[in-house]
Amino acid sequence: SMDRARQISSAATQQAVGITQISEAMDNLVDTSKFNADGATELEQTMENLTSLATELQNGLARFSTT
């Protein structure tokens, strides 16, 4: 019947919208994961730089140590 065809068509449209929304959400997750990975890499580099600076500072202070 025509009503049944409309219901099927409507359900198919709703499913298509749902699939599009899921796809967009997955894209957002991928983008967020990449952003987090980039941030973690930057944090690791910053920590390495700080460790190096702390070592240099410690070595510099050792030269002025009176003990």
Side-chain angles (χ1 to χ4, degrees):
S1 77
M2 197 62 141
D3 284 341
R4 188 75 174 138
R6 283 190 196 116
Q7 289 174 344
I8 292 171
S9 176
S10 177
T13 300
Q14 290 173 353
Q15 287 177 347
V17 169
I19 289 170
T20 299
Q21 290 173 338
I22 289 170
S23 178
E24 290 171 357
M26 293 302 295
D27 288 343
N28 288 338
L29 284 174
V30 169
D31 291 345
T32 300
S33 295
K34 287 179 184 175
F35 178 78
N36 287 341
D38 291 344
T41 299
E42 286 184 34
L43 179 59
E44 182 181 12
Q45 291 171 349
T46 299
M47 293 301 296
E48 288 174 4
N49 291 340
L50 286 174
T51 300
S52 177
L53 288 172
T55 301
E56 288 178 31
L57 179 59
Q58 197 171 30
N59 291 339
L61 290 174
R63 287 187 227 140
F64 295 104
S65 179
T66 57
T67 57

